[in-house]
Amino acid sequence: VAAIDMKSESRDAGNTDFLLCVSTQNAWSCFPGMNAAVRATVRVGLYTGAKVYFVHEGYQGLVDGADNIRLATWESVSMMLQLGGTVIGSARSKDFRTREGRMKAAGNLVKLGITNLCVIGGDGSLTGANEFRTEWSGLLADLVKAGKITNEEAKKSSHLNIVGMVGSIDNDFCGTDMTIGTDSALHRIIEVVDAITTTAQSHQRTFILEVMGRHCGYLALVTAQACGADWVFIPEMPPDEGWEDHLCRRLANQRARGSRLNVIIVAEGAMSRAGQPITSEQIKKLVTDRLGFDTRTTVLGHVQRGGTPSAFDRILGSRMGVEAVMALLEATPDTPACVVSLSGNLAVRLPLMECVQVTKDVTAAMSQGRFDEAIKLRGKSFENNWNTYKLLAHINPPDVKSNINVALLNIGAPCAGMNAAVRSAVRMGIIQGHNMLAVHDGFDGLAEGQIEPITWTSVSGWTGKGGSMLGTKRTLPGKLLEEISQNIAKFNIHALVIIGGFEAYVGGLELVQAREKYEEICIPIVVIPATVSNNVPGSDFSIGADTALNTITSTCDRIKQSAAGTKRRVFIVETMGGYCGYLATMAGLAAGADAAYIFEEKFGIRDLETNVEHLVEKMKTTVKRGLILRNESCNSNYTTDFIFNLYSEEGKGIFDCRKNVLGHMQQGGTPTPFDRNFGTKMGAKSVLWLTEKLKECYRHGRIFANTPDSACVLGMKKRALTFQPLADLKSDTDFEHRIPKSQWWLKIRPIMKILAKYDIKLDTSEHADIEHVIKKRGPLGK
């Protein structure tokens, strides 16, 4: 059935009871984003007509029972999205590790009639949950024998369903792209790196930053890539013998090239090939004694576990909470315990113990010195990050130059992350032996000859800079083709990297169409989507959208706090995005909005009336505030002022209204870790593709590219970075409104509405099936 009325189905099934448990075997395991998962699980559970219970203090609360297992309500999970940690507590439980303790836990669940368990935690917590499920029938038999429960109670609770959500800042659980809490931890780390960088540059210092990751180097690796660190130490790949000489040589070379600072990132679990720990103090002593550099160390510690969750972690937690409830609803006694996560932008279900096994395989590979295999077992994303970092970390150009000139330009409105893409493209080009050219001020600069060489050192430190260092304009090339073709010939440009928004896409199309008239434009072209609007066809995500989303979300947090203090207040917030409702929708999900008006989902006066009535009802509860988001171009008649006036009039005596237009602050700021990392990978991949394409297009001593596949958009589609010909994307483009005709995120809009307590139907036609992570092993464990 395409659209299931989950309420009706649940009532027909006899009002299934759900238990929500945040559990862990470690006393300190709580992460930003857990509360989003708790909130979503509770509210979607209630939406389906189920009873939902909190278990306070993790597995210990399960064992102790009584007040630790409490009925959850809609209001009980309000105002928790922006809170770090977990509001229902997490604690180490020695009792749950014993069979006697698990018997007590089973007895507590049976007495409440609970047979569905949702666990948020790391691999230890999830393994414990699976063991509990495996023993369930035996535990019930022992309870009946001991007279603790009746045969009838045991029969009603004959099997236990388990679903897990992985929470870990280390991102050390195999089978998932990102665990809840990882992105927020990266935000904390990058904030510190940015602060340290300014003082290090002033004093010409070397900074060694130690981050968490006892068994997994993900945080260290992504941080190194996001800040352009000189060296990174991770447990999965210890440095080669003699690394001390290599490190000192690299740092000295960087200083000789004019760099005023050096940054070294160390995972706390870093070790040598011999299995000996490599500590930040050890590295500091080495650099100070050998080079005499002024060196400082910073150990971040538990700062990484705290703070406000990022927009990504809130959306991840919310989507996983919804998927967890769906998995429990569909579970049968034969369904294996599973974990839910995201792969690309797809919700996936993975067999719990397969993921645990692969995670253990990584540890075994590291302990046995099979480091290449450990990197591969971590997954494609980790492996790609490692390979990209290795290539970009230090200049290592080939002996023979390619004599290829590659030009880079930014088009459209500026956004955070553009500079990271430029930096990685420049450095990857130099590594390939190409001459890299910077074009200032977009197509205007290309037409006017504002073109100059750009070197390895000239892009140092660009990953953390917002805006566009090259300069960018919205001008399209259509009226400048004569001048552009002349300058392509004059500067002997063999390939173009165009980084920008919808204008970059349209500009690329105009260049392709001009190939018929101008032979000089018959060169390979790649477009990298970079815009806060996330409206470029051919890619699910654009560079810059994550930074804008976090800006909106943090602003909405402050607005909600203000509304909560004054009571009975509704805020109308206008977001950017042109005609694309991505920012309004995702910010609505991340900030807990009551409604988000967008162009793609038509609405009228009846819908506005429904929303006002919904807020009137909400004011009768303990949650006396409202948040409404409106995309700037959602409707030319229902403007922000109109909606503000309508809500103000209809809410008289019940609530008052305020409005905020966020404006260009959404385009500014330093890039988020996601945008830095995404931009870095996109820039590097684009130049590698161009290098291969140039070989294909080299004929009779010159470059000639006029096939559709020689001009592509590089985009993230579902789970992979793919190149799609510009010409092929025209059919999926609404040129009038500057948006793709099909947009993946529209399918998650109902989640936002359900979490805001609207009685709508949830489309489950694309529910996630269980996928397998353990494949037939080859020589490298794959």
Side-chain angles (χ1 to χ4, degrees), residues 480-513:
L480 305 168
L481 292 170
E482 189 72 40
E483 296 88 344
I484 286 172
S485 64
Q486 287 173 3
N487 278 324
I488 286 175
K490 179 182 175 182
F491 290 89
N492 200 21
I493 295 169
H494 301 109
L496 274 180
V497 179
I498 305 172
I499 303 166
F502 198 83
E503 290 90 353
Y505 165 71
V506 175
L509 275 173
E510 289 184 2
L511 291 179
V512 170
Q513 288 161 3

Side-chain angles (χ1 to χ4, degrees), residues 702-757:
R702 69 190 185 102
I703 305 295
F704 186 79
N706 66 346
T707 56
D709 66 352
S710 64
C712 288
V713 170
L714 169 58
M716 170 71 81
K717 294 300 287 184
K718 293 188 176 177
R719 301 189 188 189
L721 290 176
T722 59
F723 292 89
Q724 296 168 85
L726 283 159
D728 291 357
L729 293 168
K730 286 172 73 174
S731 59
D732 187 42
T733 306
D734 177 351
F735 285 97
E736 182 188 351
H737 299 106
R738 299 160 51 89
I739 55 174
K741 289 179 183 175
S742 54
Q743 300 185 84
W744 66 272
W745 51 267
L746 286 169
K747 289 183 179 173
I748 66 171
R749 273 184 66 80
I751 295 174
M752 184 191 72
K753 295 178 183 179
I754 287 166
L755 296 179
K757 211 174 183 179

Side-chain angles (χ1 to χ4, degrees), residues 8-17 49:
S8 303
E9 179 174 304
S10 184
R11 289 193 189 105
D12 294 343
N15 204 33
T16 309
D17 287 348

Side-chain angles (χ1 to χ4, degrees), residues 206-211 213-214 231-235 238-239 243-244 247 251 264-273 275-288 295-300:
T206 296
F207 260 94
I208 301 162
L209 189 74
E210 184 179 305
V211 301
R214 194 175 303 147
W231 197 285
V232 64
F233 292 90
I234 60 172
W243 62 268
E244 295 91 343
L247 172 62
L251 297 182
I264 300 166
I265 308 295
V266 188
E268 63 177 324
M271 59 182 181
S272 69
R273 295 262 162 178
Q276 297 301 309
I278 296 176
T279 66
S280 49
E281 285 301 322
Q282 180 186 338
I283 300 164
K284 178 185 176 181
K285 188 176 187 308
L286 170 72
V287 174
T288 306
T295 307
R296 299 284 190 274
T297 60
T298 301
V299 180
L300 283 189

Side-chain angles (χ1 to χ4, degrees), residues 634-672:
C634 65
N635 190 296
S636 57
N637 294 313
Y638 299 133
T639 62
T640 302
D641 286 336
F642 176 91
I643 292 173
F644 168 72
N645 290 333
L646 175 72
Y647 275 68
S648 298
E649 181 63 30
E650 295 300 318
K652 269 184 182 174
I654 304 165
F655 58 79
D656 63 356
C657 287
R658 298 289 186 273
K659 65 178 175 181
N660 287 75
V661 178
L662 300 185
H664 283 76
M665 65 182 289
Q666 297 161 81
Q667 288 180 349
T670 56
T672 58

